[in-house]
Amino acid sequence: MRNCLIFILSLLFIGCKSNRKEDNLSVNPILKSPFDLVNTFIGTGGHGHTFPGATAPFGMVQLSPDTRLEGWDGCGGYHYSDSIIYGFSHTHLSGTGIPDYGDVLLTPFTGDKINLEDAIQRITAPSHFEKSTEKANPGYYSVFLKDHDVTVDLSTTERTGMHRYVNLSEDELHVLIDLRHRDRLRDYEIEFVSNHVIRGKRISQAWANEQHVYFYMEFSAPYHTTPFSSNESLDSMSNQFAQLSFGNLDSLLVKVGVSAVDIAGAQKNLEIENSNWNFEKIRKGMKSQWESALNKIEIEGGTEEQRSIFYSALYHTMIVPNLFSDQDGRYRGVDMKIHQDSTDLTYTIFSLWDTFRATHPLFTLIQQERTNQFIRTFLRQYKEGGQLPIWELAANYTGCMIGYHAIPVIVDAYAKGIRDYDANLALEAMVHSAMQDDLGLSWYKKNGFIAASDEPESVSKNLEYAYDDWCIALLADSLGKEEIATTFYQRGQYYKNLFDPSTGFFRAKKSHTWFAPFRPEEVNFNYTEANAWQYSLFVPQDISGHIKIMGGTKKYEQHLDNMFNASTETSGREQPDVTGLIGQYAHGNEPSHHMAYLYNYVGKPHKTQKIVRQILDEQYTHLPDGLSGNEDCGQMSAWYVLSAMGFYSVTPGLDYYTIGTPLFEKATINLENGNAFTIVANNVSNDNIYIQSANLNDEIFEHSFIKHS
């Protein structure tokens, strides 16, 4: 029998009125299914950096249109404001701040064949398209290429992509294969196996220094090829492209298996996952997978727009990390060698500076088995590459971002009873990370702080190391390693060494004094993608201790008030990540994400509820520019999912969530063990956002937090 826990929150109006025109209640709250509510275009405009194409939950393939070749807003390969499609590639990043991927581009076109010079200059094959012809839902994308009279449909399995091209012109149908697309080629190969099969490889260098993609491609009709050029100056590039002609064909199917291991792996992935020529079967299979994934959380109430934002956010949390092992269990390790584990899955793309905050805590609720798989992947990467990941991409350590935030992901899971991995090995890997000397750690260990003259972004690194060190102490304590625990509990207090009581901020030190002049709104090299305001409250491991050195609860509360009510003007260097400003709170970037919940810690939960509701209402919409900052591999969306249900993980590593304010009348989390946890919000509306009372399974509940158990 299913164990259903019921958490009932009764809300009332106490003087805060929303500016929203629609009431939060709906006469018929369930009009569309979660699957139908997903809008894959959310985040493709503005600076969200998402892509609208087809992918499986946590899949290896992200088959999507490429409309932008470069630039910060081209990180996902697509921007909603664009009107030209260059083709459809098989890998895309979701919401990152640096571009990569876009591997193995296919472009269908009609009419005359193109020459190599035109292919290199991207003339002829790209096509204009109308937004009205784009259709997309989880696992499917479709568009009409206006210049070529070709309709393109895309779908995927976990490790394969499938294309359907419908030729509505009277001209010959061609397909251009482009391995030169996006980042710099290190090595490549296109081999014509038969008149139905092509295979090859693309090894490239960009953000990932050495990214391997191997492909095995089958066509439903025979093709013939035409050499591009006999021009000696172009011959060296000719094998980076292939032009295939199919005659006056009405429709064509293309199946592509990919692998990071080798061509044989790509072929086997295709043979196992997509052996037939049935596009609709693949599309329906993806729909079924996504329906199952999205039904992990069922919501009722709210407007259709709010439900669409919620399920689109839930969708975006389950795109990344990506599967990285083949059907036979082989995968490319961070040592660039081939390994095999037929009993487990390996993943890639760990944007941990972002995702330790909300994405992975969400996974501890709805992806518990995958959480174990992610952590086992971390430990394989430690054994094979000598370190835990910080920002790992396609088996490459990118050297991007700060801290060692695989640690709180592991400790948070361990604290919540998710433990199907070697915890002692995990502790060893954590200590190894913390005892390095680079990125300011030598000074941090020696002096208890990092000075501005020692290391850039010294304040941010100092604060994040201290939090991660405290997480190490938690696990060491749990495993009975008292000496390690003592050492790292002490290091967890190093945040105090950069606290300036005269200003109430964490400040950089230089030449045994404070770095000056000090302007808390200034974005400079002492902070990571932020200013002093946005790092002024990053002490999740010791909030009570931070309140004490701030001068007590009233001064801490006043600091929060001042931050949310400050001018939104910043000074200093240009930092595109500092967006979504409410005062100096920046919801568009991760360091601010826990701050609205800190009023709970000074006995003012109504202020948390007011600000959280404001963020839910103002910082997210159902439009393409509906994210106030980069999606960052699910973090922006995970904040919304957790907060809309009424709680948030302020301190990953502890087994509780801080309560905010629920957006919906009812939210049910369907757990992997067969149980369900249901949150009921009585009287919730745009006016009624404050929690008056609560009970858990008919017992009075008087806390502003709730335990994972």
Side-chain angles (χ1 to χ4, degrees):
M1 181 177 177
R2 229 160 84 120
N3 182 11
C4 299
L5 296 171
I6 308 293
F7 189 45
I8 299 177
L9 304 167
S10 297
L11 289 87
L12 81 165
F13 170 63
I14 57 171
C16 174
K17 205 168 183 70
S18 169
N19 291 323
R20 299 181 65 90
K21 294 181 180 179
E22 293 182 271
D23 190 88
N24 200 43
L25 301 180
S26 176
V27 175
N28 185 0
I30 302 179
L31 301 174
K32 292 182 178 179
S33 70
F35 179 88
D36 291 327
L37 285 164
V38 172
N39 178 0
T40 66
F41 291 101
I42 292 177
T44 61
H47 305 303
H49 297 181
T50 63
F51 63 87
T55 188
F58 306 98
M60 181 183 290
V61 170
Q62 308 85 37
L63 182 52
S64 189
D66 289 70
T67 67
R68 191 162 293 198
L69 303 176
E70 58 188 5
W72 192 59
D73 282 331
C75 288
Y78 177 100
H79 197 271
Y80 193 80
S81 63
D82 295 334
S83 59
I84 292 177
I85 287 178
Y86 293 94
F88 307 90
S89 62
H90 291 76
T91 60
H92 291 84
L93 295 175
S94 181
T96 61
I98 300 179
D100 210 311
Y101 277 22
D103 296 290
V104 191
L105 185 85
L106 270 64
T107 307
F109 65 100
T110 57
D112 296 333
K113 299 173 185 176
I114 61 176
N115 59 48
L116 186 56
E117 292 95 333
D118 287 346
I120 293 169
Q121 297 299 321
R122 301 194 175 277
I123 301 171
T124 305
S127 176
H128 292 83
F129 70 104
E130 301 288 346
K131 294 294 177 185
S132 60
T133 70
E134 283 188 292
K135 300 175 184 176
N137 50 45
Y140 174 71
Y141 174 87
S142 179
V143 69
F144 177 67
L145 301 181
K146 188 176 179 180
D147 295 348
H148 302 301
D149 284 338
V150 173
T151 297
V152 176
D153 295 311
L154 307 174
S155 192
T156 70
T157 66
E158 290 179 315
R159 299 173 179 85
T160 78
M162 193 169 192
H163 308 235
R164 179 169 64 189
Y165 307 143
V166 178
N167 180 11
L168 301 176
S169 77
E170 296 180 357
D171 296 323
E172 188 173 5
L173 178 66
H174 314 281
V175 176
L176 177 69
I177 301 172
D178 181 357
L179 299 188
R180 194 167 177 263
H181 181 64
R182 302 263 306 184
D183 41 320
R184 185 172 73 84
L185 282 175
R186 295 181 56 153
D187 195 9
Y188 55 90
E189 178 185 11
I190 296 177
E191 181 184 355
F192 303 98
V193 179
S194 71
N195 64 357
H196 282 80
V197 175
I198 288 177
R199 62 190 180 192
K201 67 181 179 183
R202 182 176 196 268
I203 302 174
S204 60
Q205 181 177 16
W207 190 10
N209 188 56
E210 184 181 335
Q211 186 210 350
H212 290 248
V213 175
Y214 300 85
F215 63 90
Y216 190 86
M217 193 179 300
E218 296 183 353
F219 301 87
S220 61
Y223 64 80
H224 65 270
T225 64
T226 303
F228 268 114
S229 175
S230 59
N231 185 330
E232 290 184 5
S233 65
L234 295 175
D235 280 345
S236 63
M237 297 184 187
S238 61
N239 291 331
Q240 299 172 11
F241 301 88
Q243 184 174 196
L244 314 178
S245 297
F246 294 88
N248 296 101
L249 200 64
D250 291 335
S251 64
L252 176 70
L253 295 175
V254 188
K255 300 188 298 185
V256 185
V258 302
S259 168
V261 175
D262 55 25
I263 292 173
Q267 180 177 357
K268 190 166 188 177
N269 290 341
L270 185 61
E271 290 173 348
I272 293 175
E273 295 187 11
N274 191 357
S275 60
N276 299 312
W277 292 101
N278 190 332
F279 183 89
E280 290 304 322
K281 180 180 179 182
I282 296 299
R283 179 182 174 183
K284 290 177 182 177
M286 274 298 92
K287 181 179 181 182
S288 177
Q289 281 196 39
W290 275 113
E291 285 176 334
S292 177
L294 294 165
N295 285 333
K296 286 178 176 287
I297 302 177
E298 299 176 58
I299 57 171
E300 297 179 23
T303 65
E304 184 172 301
E305 177 183 326
Q306 290 168 331
R307 295 194 298 276
S308 177
I309 295 169
F310 181 89
Y311 280 113
S312 302
L314 185 59
Y315 164 78
H316 277 128
T317 68
M318 293 188 282
I319 291 177
V320 187
N322 297 143
L323 185 63
F324 203 57
S325 51
D326 289 344
Q327 279 283 350
D328 60 6
R330 292 185 303 153
Y331 64 93
R332 185 171 297 276
V334 291
D335 55 3
M336 287 294 139
K337 297 178 181 178
I338 306 305
H339 304 267
Q340 186 165 21
D341 189 336
S342 300
T343 65
D344 202 8
L345 297 176
T346 296
Y347 291 84
T348 186
I349 305 186
F350 291 104
S351 179
L352 292 163
W353 182 81
D354 307 292
T355 57
F356 86 86
R357 304 167 197 267
T359 311
H360 284 282
L362 175 63
F363 290 162
T364 65
L365 289 167
I366 65 171
Q367 300 288 344
Q368 294 194 340
E369 180 48 42
R370 274 202 175 91
T371 293
N372 281 315
Q373 292 169 350
F374 296 154
I375 293 172
R376 293 195 295 264
T377 295
F378 294 167
L379 298 182
R380 282 192 285 272
Q381 291 175 342
Y382 166 66
K383 288 191 292 185
E384 294 157 8
Q387 66 181 88
L388 289 170
I390 296 173
W391 216 127
E392 177 272 343
L393 168 62
N396 288 252
Y397 294 125
T398 62
C400 192
M401 303 317 297
I402 66 172
Y404 21 82
H405 294 312
I407 290 171
V409 173
I410 299 170
V411 175
D412 190 52
Y414 190 88
K416 295 171 180 174
I418 302 171
R419 301 179 178 181
D420 192 9
Y421 47 85
D422 186 337
N424 285 294
L425 177 63
L427 181 61
E428 174 192 312
M430 293 175 186
V431 173
H432 177 80
S433 293
M435 298 307 293
Q436 301 302 301
D437 290 328
D438 57 349
L439 301 176
L441 277 169
S442 61
W443 302 103
Y444 175 83
K445 292 184 295 182
K446 179 181 178 181
N447 300 324
F449 68 91
I450 306 170
S453 54
D454 297 332
E455 180 76 13
E457 303 175 8
S458 60
V459 178
S460 298
K461 289 175 180 174
N462 204 109
L463 294 174
E464 298 199 23
Y465 288 148
Y467 163 64
D468 289 340
D469 287 346
W470 171 82
C471 289
I472 296 173
L474 285 184
L475 183 61
D477 222 346
S478 297
L479 296 176
K481 310 289 186 179
E482 293 183 10
E483 186 175 344
I484 295 174
T486 298
T487 296
F488 285 97
Y489 278 133
Q490 291 173 346
R491 283 175 52 162
Q493 294 292 302
Y494 284 0
Y495 75 90
K496 295 176 179 176
N497 296 335
L498 290 185
F499 181 74
D500 173 17
S502 69
T503 63
F505 285 89
F506 294 107
R507 293 180 58 183
K509 286 184 175 179
K510 187 177 182 181
S511 301
H512 307 289
T513 186
W514 296 115
F515 184 93
F518 176 68
R519 303 180 185 90
E521 81 286 348
E522 182 181 69
V523 179
N524 59 39
F525 63 88
N526 297 317
Y527 305 91
T528 301
E529 298 181 0
N531 60 24
W533 274 113
Q534 290 138 27
Y535 263 99
S536 64
L537 296 163
F538 187 78
V539 191
Q541 75 275 22
D542 188 19
I543 296 172
S544 61
H546 187 207
I547 291 171
K548 185 176 181 180
I549 65 173
M550 286 277 282
T553 57
K554 288 186 177 180
K555 288 191 175 181
Y556 193 84
E557 179 187 356
Q558 187 62 56
H559 181 92
L560 281 163
D561 289 344
N562 292 343
M563 179 183 65
F564 284 113
N565 293 311
S567 166
T568 58
E569 293 296 319
T570 61
S571 61
R573 72 183 186 190
E574 176 65 24
Q575 184 66 55
D577 302 278
V578 180
T579 56
L581 287 163
I582 302 174
Q584 285 294 312
Y585 170 90
H587 192 71
N589 210 23
E590 280 64 32
S592 293
H593 275 189
H594 67 295
M595 291 178 171
Y597 288 89
L598 293 176
Y599 283 112
N600 279 354
Y601 295 78
V602 293
K604 297 297 175 67
H606 68 281
K607 289 190 174 183
T608 279
Q609 291 159 30
K610 177 183 177 181
I611 294 293
V612 167
R613 183 56 185 266
Q614 182 180 350
I615 297 168
L616 287 166
D617 285 348
E618 295 180 359
Q619 301 290 323
Y620 296 84
T621 78
H622 68 301
L623 301 175
D625 63 353
L627 298 177
S628 59
N630 300 162
E631 168 63 10
D632 284 319
C633 298
Q635 171 60 26
M636 282 288 288
S637 290
W639 189 97
Y640 188 92
V641 170
L642 289 174
S643 296
M645 289 193 292
F647 56 91
Y648 189 78
S649 183
V650 169
T651 306
L654 296 180
D655 65 342
Y656 69 83
Y657 308 90
T658 302
I659 294 173
T661 180
L663 186 63
F664 300 102
E665 296 171 18
K666 186 177 181 181
T668 300
I669 306 170
N670 295 311
L671 305 168
E672 291 176 11
N673 62 8
N675 295 339
F677 186 85
T678 298
I679 302 159
V680 176
N682 290 333
N683 304 317
V684 65
S685 71
N686 288 330
D687 292 336
N688 298 343
I689 67 171
Y690 298 101
I691 299 172
Q692 179 186 29
S693 62
N695 66 66
L696 178 62
N697 282 5
D698 296 325
E699 293 185 7
I700 294 173
F701 192 88
E702 297 181 328
H703 308 289
S704 60
F705 63 89
I706 186 166
K707 287 194 171 184
H708 179 81
S709 59

